[in-house]
């Protein structure tokens, strides 16, 4: 096994561990900071940021892990959570090729688009969760989007500090 493969495995393990910790935080903190029913989705934020930094296949793997944990905690619509989080991880992981990851605008945009993808897939697969009270669902989802975008900065930069993703690019070779 090469050094690069060990590093990739370590990074994937750290993101998976962060997703597990985000689920614990979701159960403990999320409802306490809710505003009018809207609350952040910590596991989805960590998934979006981590999958973007890891890349396609590993992003899909951590998406599957997040879907398993989210479905296990929710205990309803298990398959919908599993599919939506797996596909959201694949989506965020494949964004890696088309953006500058260390830009200040990347974390909220990645989390915004990944949250929209995950919520859309979940809504399509489990319409009974929102169909009869769609205004409330839209309000709560909009609040979740705002919360997730605001919290994307600390989570994204924390993952970068833990050296998740490729090393910071130095286009002008200022560092030796």
């Amino acid at each position: 096994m090469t050094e690069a493969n060990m590093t990739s495995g370590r990074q994937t393990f750290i993101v998976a561990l962060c997703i597990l910790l985000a689920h614990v935080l979701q159960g403990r903190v999320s409802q306490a900071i809710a505003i009018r029913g809207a609350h952040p989705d910590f596991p989805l934020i960590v998934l979006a940021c981590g999958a973007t930094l890891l890349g396609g296949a590993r992003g899909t793997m951590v998406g599957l892990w997040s879907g398993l944990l989210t479905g296990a905690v929710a205990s309803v619509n298990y398959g919908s959570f599993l599919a939506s989080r797996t596909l959201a991880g694949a989506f965020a992981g494949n964004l890696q090729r088309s953006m500058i990851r260390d830009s200040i605008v990347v974390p909220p945009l990645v989390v915004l688009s990944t949250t929209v993808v995950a919520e859309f897939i979940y809504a399509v697969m489990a319409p009974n969760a929102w169909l009869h009270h769609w205004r409330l669902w839209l309000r709560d989802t909009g609040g979740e989007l705002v919360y997730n975008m605001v919290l994307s900065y600390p989570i994204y930069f924390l993952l970068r500090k833990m050296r998740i993703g490729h090393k910071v690019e130095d286009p002008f070779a200022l560092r030796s």
Side-chain angles (χ1 to χ4, degrees):
M1 189 179 256
T2 65
E3 184 69 33
N5 287 340
M6 288 190 290
T7 303
S8 298
R10 181 187 72 79
Q11 290 176 2
T12 305
F13 177 76
I14 290 172
V15 171
L17 184 62
C18 288
I19 289 173
L20 178 64
L21 293 174
H23 275 87
V24 172
L25 199 66
Q26 184 75 18
R28 295 291 182 184
V29 177
S30 178
Q31 293 299 324
I33 63 174
I35 298 174
R36 297 187 62 175
H39 54 83
D41 190 341
F42 294 116
L44 191 54
I45 301 168
V46 174
L47 170 63
C49 294
T52 300
L53 293 171
L54 289 173
R58 293 183 290 149
T60 304
M61 287 191 308
V62 295
L64 177 67
W65 171 245
S66 181
L68 286 169
L69 291 175
T70 303
V73 170
S75 73
V76 293
N77 300 325
Y78 184 81
S80 301
F81 279 118
L82 183 64
S84 69
R85 297 320 191 246
T86 302
L87 293 173
F91 171 78
N94 286 312
L95 287 176
Q96 179 187 38
R97 293 183 228 157
S98 59
M99 67 178 180
I100 301 169
R101 290 173 302 162
D102 291 327
S103 172
I104 194 76
V105 297
V106 166
L109 291 178
V110 165
V111 170
L112 170 71
S113 58
T114 305
T115 302
V116 167
V117 165
E119 292 298 335
F120 176 75
I121 293 169
Y122 178 77
V124 167
M125 293 186 74
N128 59 341
W130 63 272
L131 193 58
H132 299 294
H133 43 84
W134 61 272
R135 286 184 184 150
L136 178 65
W137 179 80
L138 281 176
R139 186 194 71 192
D140 292 348
T141 302
E144 178 185 334
L145 284 170
V146 172
Y147 255 129
N148 287 0
M149 288 173 58
V150 169
L151 293 173
S152 68
Y153 284 114
I155 291 173
Y156 188 87
F157 293 119
L158 178 67
L159 289 173
R160 289 301 280 162
K161 283 291 183 190
M162 289 191 288
R163 299 182 184 199
I164 305 298
H166 300 300
K167 62 183 176 180
V168 178
E169 296 168 6
D170 188 13
F172 301 109
L174 298 175
R175 291 180 236 157
S176 302

